[in-house]
């Protein structure tokens, strides 16, 4: 048995079914889940057209779906819109004007709140700042900031004037930041001086300076004073100073439905990350409909997506989705267990959070800290829970369900990707739940498990998780690389389906069980990071000739990396070098690329064409069957 099968058997042994409480199911925004699934299947375009009508458009579409250039699908062609008009402008003409849009809590406990009207003003002001610095429609703005309201303001302001944001997670190191700024050809970067985490102030500005020094296209760095650090301000401007004189009135740019909204980089199987492109029209339709139906947004909700805005989860469900839905979104800047393991529960209690959406790695970490922490707090306001980022093991599911949700909150296990933009496999508050399964495709989404020939496999058998019909929030291309878009997602197996890169199974009830990635992409604490990206960070060190990285199972993080390194002549593989290499990778990629151990080797298993067989390394490491090794050189 392979490690994968063992993992799935364990997952799929979960036979219990949890029915959502009647009160929640009967009052859900989604009226009838089964009927919606049927409608989505029979009338895909009609289903999404209805969803589009919930939003405001400056001009109507000619076509709902244009598949003439597939796989370069287009949605709501000919329509005019702007996602920011729907997320902000339209709300301030309604009673939502005075409603709190963002609750932001810093690690030191300082709370800031922005109503929709206040947020709208800040966004207009910053939009004018960007304009005054020469930013125009179509220009790229890089953003490197912690989980603070200014990141949302910067994103929304960029989009309001028709420019494109490229947010880089502020945990990435200078190498990763530089590649992303360069590829996007960003003209401006908006950052913060630092971030408060775990009682310390971490300097972000230094990383930005080092990256920007290698990116001549950047004209200006705008700095939010957040951590109160003493930073070098050469060729930089303080955010608060620019904002002082900016007007709070700014027209929203009329965009084409298919105009680029943002670029978000994600790891693939080569060292170079892919710039995933999302557009205004389809993305806002998909994100709005999925959030309203899955997390069942009601007027009184306080929605906490405890991710970072730097990932797609944050783009779709901290910033855009909640504002489109007119709800209150919570942003917490600090460490989840600071000053004690009850911090998250304390936040839920103090802010009366009604929906919590987080990741299995977080749940497992909190579970490990003991049941006493959630018990100390009143979590009765919670109505729904969510999970995302990797498969949730039934043990963590049960702990979350009992200790956080008090056995009354259904758990929405949402499977999706940076590329999909919105939830794809997910329950709704009417779906019977099986711990460990993301249940079924969202209405208007079709999925299948297929083999390498693109044929659907039997029930219970593993295969590629494929999406067989287009969906509005789908990525449109890979920035400046349409070939890579076609090859990676649409030509992996025959049949013109979107291949997700995940392996999954479907059970006899039609429920999907996602097992993990089929490619050389690791999931460390829910973060996607390519082994090739880590390897190229290793190879950029002067002592390294070659490196191979594999994922090693980890109880809390899901996976961590183990590196096999061939040294250049004249370098000795000692403890000192191990530390130096770890430091180097951290500097390049940031702390998310956790390298658990480094082993110095004389050779690596390779195919005749010179490709490293990481699968063989992994099997040897874990003491598993090496499988077919006929391609090995020796
Ligand atoms: C990969 C996408 C989209 C949100 C965060 C991650 C894994 C995501 C689940 C889930 C099992 C999941 C997949 C997917 N994944 N959600 N509910 N169950 N696996 O975005 O960084 O683009 O990663 O995360 O492997 O391909 P991402």
């Amino acid at each position: 048995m392979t490690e994968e099968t063992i993992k799935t058997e364990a997952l799929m042994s979960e036979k219990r079914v949890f029915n959502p409480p009647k009160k929640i199911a009967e009052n859900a925004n989604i009226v009838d889940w089964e009927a919606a699934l049927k409608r989505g299947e029979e009338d895909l375009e009609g289903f999404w057209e209805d969803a589009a009508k919930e939003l405001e458009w400056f001009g109507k579409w000619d076509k709902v779906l244009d598949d003439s250039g597939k796989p370069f699908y287009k949605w709501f062609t000919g329509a005019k819109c702007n996602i920011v008009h729907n997320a902000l402008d339209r709300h301030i003409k309604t009673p939502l004007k005075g409603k709190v849009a963002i609750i932001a809590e810093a690690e030191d406990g300082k709370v800031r709140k922005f109503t929709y009207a206040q947020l709208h003003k800040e966004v207009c002001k910053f939009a004018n700042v960007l304009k005054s610095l020469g930013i125009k429609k179509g220009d790229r703005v890089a953003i490197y900031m912690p989980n603070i309201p200014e990141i949302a303001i910067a994103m929304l302001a960029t989009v309001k004037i028709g420019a494109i944001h490229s947010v880089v997670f502020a945990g990435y190191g200078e190498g990763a930041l530089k590649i992303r700024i360069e590829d996007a050809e960003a003209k401006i970067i908006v950052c913060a001086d630092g971030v408060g985490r775990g009682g310390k102030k971490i300097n972000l500005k230094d990383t930005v300076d080092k990256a920007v020094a290698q990116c001549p296209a950047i004209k200006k760095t705008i700095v939010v004073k957040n951590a109160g650090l003493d930073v070098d301000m050469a060729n930089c401007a303080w955010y608060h100073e620019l904002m002082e004189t900016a007007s709070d009135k700014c027209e929203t740019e009329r965009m084409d439905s298919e105009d680029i909204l943002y670029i978000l980089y994600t790891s693939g199987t080569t060292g170079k990350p892919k710039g995933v492109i999302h557009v205004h029209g389809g993305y806002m339709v998909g994100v709005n409909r999925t959030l309203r139906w899955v997390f069942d947004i009601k007027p009184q909700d306080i929605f906490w997506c405890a991710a970072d805005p730097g990932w797609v989860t944050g783009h779709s469900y901290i910033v855009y989705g909640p504002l489109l839905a007119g709800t209150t979104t919570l942003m917490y800047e600090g460490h989840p267990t600071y000053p004690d393991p009850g911090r998250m529960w304390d936040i839920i209690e103090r802010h009366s959070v009604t929906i919590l959406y987080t990741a299995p790695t977080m749940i497992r970490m909190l579970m490990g800290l003991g049941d006493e922490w959630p018990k100390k707090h009143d979590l009765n306001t919670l109505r729904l829970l969510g999970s995302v980022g990797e498969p949730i093991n039934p043990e963590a599911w049960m702990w979350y369900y009992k200790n956080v949700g008090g056995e009354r909150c259904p758990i929405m296990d949402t499977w999706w990707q940076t590329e999909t933009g919105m939830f794809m496999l997910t329950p709704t508050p009417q779906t019977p739940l099986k711990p460990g399964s993301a249940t079924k495709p969202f209405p208007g989404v079709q999925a299948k498990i297929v083999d390498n020939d693109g044929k659907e496999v039997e029930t219970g058998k593993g295969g590629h998780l494929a999406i067989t019909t287009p969906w509005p929030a789908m990525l449109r291309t890979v920035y400046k690389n349409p070939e890579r878009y076609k090859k990676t997602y649409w030509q992996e197996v025959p049949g013109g389906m979107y291949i997700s890169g995940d392996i999954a199974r479907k059970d006899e009830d039609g429920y999907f069980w996602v097992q993990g990635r089929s490619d050389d992409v690791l999931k460390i604490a829910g973060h996607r990071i390519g082994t090739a990206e880590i390897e190229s960070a290793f190879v950029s060190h002067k002592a390294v000739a070659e490196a191979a990285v594999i994922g090693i199972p980890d109880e809390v993080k899901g996976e961590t990396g183990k590196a096999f390194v061939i040294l250049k002549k004249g370098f000795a593989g000692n403890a000192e070098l191990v530390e130096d290499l770890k430091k180097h990778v951290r500097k390049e990629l940031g702390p998310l690329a956790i390298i658990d151990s480094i082993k110095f080797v004389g050779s690596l298993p390779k195919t005749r064409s010179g490709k490293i067989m990481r699968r063989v390394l992994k099997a040897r490491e874990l003491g598993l069957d090496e499988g077919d090794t006929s391609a090995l050189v020796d």
Side-chain angles (χ1 to χ4, degrees):
M1 242 199 290
T2 66
E3 183 213 351
E4 225 154 51
T5 345
I6 297 169
K7 226 165 107 187
T8 320
E9 303 275 289
L11 266 179
M12 288 187 64
S13 65
E14 186 55 65
K15 290 266 184 277
R16 278 171 290 185
V17 173
F18 291 77
N19 286 306
K22 253 206 159 108
K23 216 174 102 196
I24 291 181
E26 280 171 4
N27 295 304
N29 292 345
I30 182 167
V31 179
D32 183 341
W33 179 54
E34 305 271 357
L37 287 175
K38 200 156 165 264
R39 167 98 204 279
E41 209 169 310
E42 287 166 358
D43 180 16
L44 180 90
E45 292 186 37
F47 175 84
W48 288 112
E49 182 162 37
D50 283 354
K53 286 179 185 158
E54 278 177 18
L55 296 165
E56 287 183 8
W57 300 76
F58 304 138
K60 224 194 151 190
W61 46 89
D62 311 315
K63 262 182 141 175
V64 174
L65 171 65
D66 176 0
D67 61 1
S68 59
K70 67 183 169 191
F72 297 94
Y73 294 95
K74 291 180 178 162
W75 284 84
F76 309 108
T77 50
K80 299 284 175 217
C81 62
N82 189 312
I83 191 169
V84 173
H85 171 83
N86 281 286
L88 285 179
D89 305 351
R90 75 178 163 132
H91 294 325
I92 60 165
K93 292 175 219 135
T94 74
L96 284 177
K97 182 180 168 195
K99 178 174 173 164
V100 174
I102 298 179
I103 301 177
E105 179 159 318
E107 196 176 62
D108 64 10
K110 198 172 155 223
V111 174
R112 289 190 287 163
K113 291 184 185 178
F114 294 79
T115 62
Y116 273 90
Q118 287 165 335
L119 183 63
H120 179 256
K121 277 198 169 157
E122 295 301 302
V123 168
C124 287
K125 278 176 24 190
F126 196 61
N128 286 322
V129 166
L130 291 174
K131 275 188 179 171
S132 73
L133 293 169
I135 296 298
K136 297 183 302 291
K137 184 172 179 174
D139 286 345
R140 276 80 56 210
V141 173
I143 299 176
Y144 185 82
M145 269 204 270
N147 196 354
I148 55 176
E150 286 78 6
I151 190 172
I153 294 168
M155 290 164 75
L156 295 160
T158 302
V159 171
K160 192 172 210 302
I161 61 172
I164 298 164
H165 59 68
S166 168
V167 179
V168 181
F169 173 60
Y172 273 121
E174 61 179 87
L177 176 58
K178 180 203 142 214
I179 291 191
R180 287 160 174 79
I181 296 176
E182 251 178 1
D183 189 73
E185 297 165 274
K187 290 190 177 162
I188 279 191
I189 180 162
V190 191
C191 69
D193 57 346
V195 54
R197 291 268 312 172
K200 291 193 274 285
K201 300 281 183 204
I202 297 165
N203 191 316
L204 297 176
K205 180 68 172 33
D206 274 355
T207 308
V208 172
D209 289 345
K210 285 182 189 138
V212 167
Q214 306 166 62
C215 301
I218 292 281
K219 293 210 179 72
K220 187 78 95 235
T221 301
I222 304 177
V223 191
V224 174
K225 205 182 196 80
N226 180 57
L229 298 174
D230 189 18
V231 294
D232 177 12
M233 290 296 286
N235 199 31
C236 302
W238 286 111
Y239 174 92
H240 61 272
E241 287 177 4
L242 295 170
M243 290 288 270
E244 253 168 43
T245 50
S247 149
D248 61 10
K249 295 202 171 50
C250 177
E251 281 287 305
T252 295
E253 192 73 29
R254 265 171 83 99
M255 304 299 284
D256 192 274
S257 189
E258 284 290 314
D259 278 339
I260 302 181
L261 166 64
Y262 66 73
I263 309 173
L264 184 57
Y265 288 86
T266 190
S267 296
T269 48
T270 70
K272 199 176 173 207
K274 295 175 279 204
V276 166
I277 293 295
H278 284 293
V279 301
H280 278 255
Y283 178 82
M284 71 178 184
V285 172
V287 168
N288 181 57
R289 170 52 62 98
T290 49
L291 182 64
R292 282 180 192 268
W293 277 16
V294 174
F295 283 114
D296 202 37
I297 301 302
K298 295 288 187 333
Q300 69 280 12
D301 277 324
I302 309 287
F303 181 73
W304 186 14
C305 167
D308 190 278
W311 307 112
V312 76
T313 314
H315 281 56
S316 295
Y317 300 109
I318 294 177
V319 180
Y320 291 111
L323 300 178
L324 287 169
T327 189
T328 302
T329 184
L330 191 141
M331 303 174 89
Y332 170 56
E333 181 190 343
H335 194 277
T337 60
Y338 185 86
D340 68 41
R343 182 60 182 261
M344 288 190 53
W345 319 128
D346 178 48
I347 291 175
I348 292 172
E349 179 174 6
R350 275 186 294 105
H351 296 294
S352 305
V353 171
T354 57
I355 304 163
L356 174 66
Y357 183 37
T358 187
T361 180
M362 180 82 83
I363 298 163
R364 289 192 296 263
M365 180 185 76
L366 294 166
M367 178 169 85
L369 296 169
D371 302 357
E372 64 268 31
W373 294 102
K375 280 204 180 78
K376 283 188 188 157
H377 297 274
D378 177 2
L379 305 179
N380 276 308
T381 49
L382 287 173
R383 187 176 94 250
L384 286 168
L385 299 174
S387 172
V388 63
E390 55 180 313
I392 181 165
N393 45 310
E395 196 196 355
W397 197 101
M398 286 309 304
W399 186 84
Y400 195 30
Y401 187 71
K402 279 193 182 142
N403 294 279
V404 182
E407 298 184 51
R408 51 165 212 284
C409 308
I411 299 176
M412 302 295 114
D413 179 355
T414 61
W415 177 91
W416 59 297
Q417 308 177 295
T418 305
E419 292 87 342
T420 70
M422 64 176 219
F423 307 147
M424 298 296 281
L425 304 179
T426 176
T428 70
Q430 294 185 341
T431 308
L433 305 171
K434 300 187 191 187
S437 167
T439 75
K440 294 191 181 188
F442 186 76
V445 174
Q446 308 299 329
K448 257 190 202 164
I449 308 294
V450 300
D451 62 17
N452 288 335
D453 300 322
K455 281 211 229 34
E456 188 161 13
V457 304
E458 279 166 56
T459 300
K461 282 245 165 67
H464 302 281
L465 170 55
I467 309 296
T468 56
T469 48
W471 65 101
M474 67 197 297
L475 81 163
R476 297 304 195 263
T477 189
V478 171
Y479 192 54
K480 299 196 294 197
N481 203 342
E483 265 314 300
R484 193 169 176 194
Y485 165 75
K486 263 205 287 199
K487 264 177 95 170
T488 314
Y489 302 107
W490 302 93
Q491 294 173 343
E492 184 72 18
V493 308
M497 294 167 267
Y498 171 87
I499 297 297
S500 64
D502 277 12
I503 297 290
R505 298 180 182 211
K506 205 161 114 174
D507 71 14
E508 54 285 354
D509 299 319
Y511 276 46
F512 287 76
W513 298 78
V514 177
Q515 291 162 241
R517 303 284 310 179
S518 66
D519 52 11
D520 289 317
V521 171
L522 305 186
K523 271 280 172 173
I524 302 180
H527 302 316
R528 188 159 146 190
I529 187 145
T531 51
E533 221 171 334
I534 310 178
E535 287 158 6
S536 78
F538 267 103
V539 175
S540 69
H541 188 280
K542 61 180 187 304
V544 179
E546 240 187 305
V549 172
I550 60 166
I552 299 285
D554 180 279
E555 260 190 34
V556 174
K557 308 235 177 268
E559 255 181 324
T560 60
K562 171 159 184 156
F564 298 83
V565 171
I566 303 179
L567 291 176
K568 283 186 188 154
K569 263 214 176 88
F571 289 93
N574 52 30
E576 204 180 313
L577 184 58
V578 167
E579 279 323 298
D580 196 45
L581 286 174
K582 282 192 183 171
K583 228 173 85 190
H584 177 75
V585 171
R586 196 184 161 93
K587 180 183 129 240
E588 285 297 308
L589 295 176
L592 47 122
I594 301 172
I595 300 299
D596 191 59
S597 62
I598 296 175
K599 193 170 171 181
F600 297 108
V601 293
S603 68
L604 291 167
K606 283 187 186 165
T607 62
R608 255 165 275 275
S609 60
K611 265 179 96 174
I612 300 169
M613 291 185 78
R614 299 184 187 85
R615 177 173 61 77
V616 172
L617 280 172
K618 188 162 176 170
R620 285 181 192 163
E621 189 61 31
L622 301 174
L624 301 164
D625 180 11
E626 288 182 21
D628 179 12
T629 53
S630 56
L632 265 185
V633 176
D634 55 1

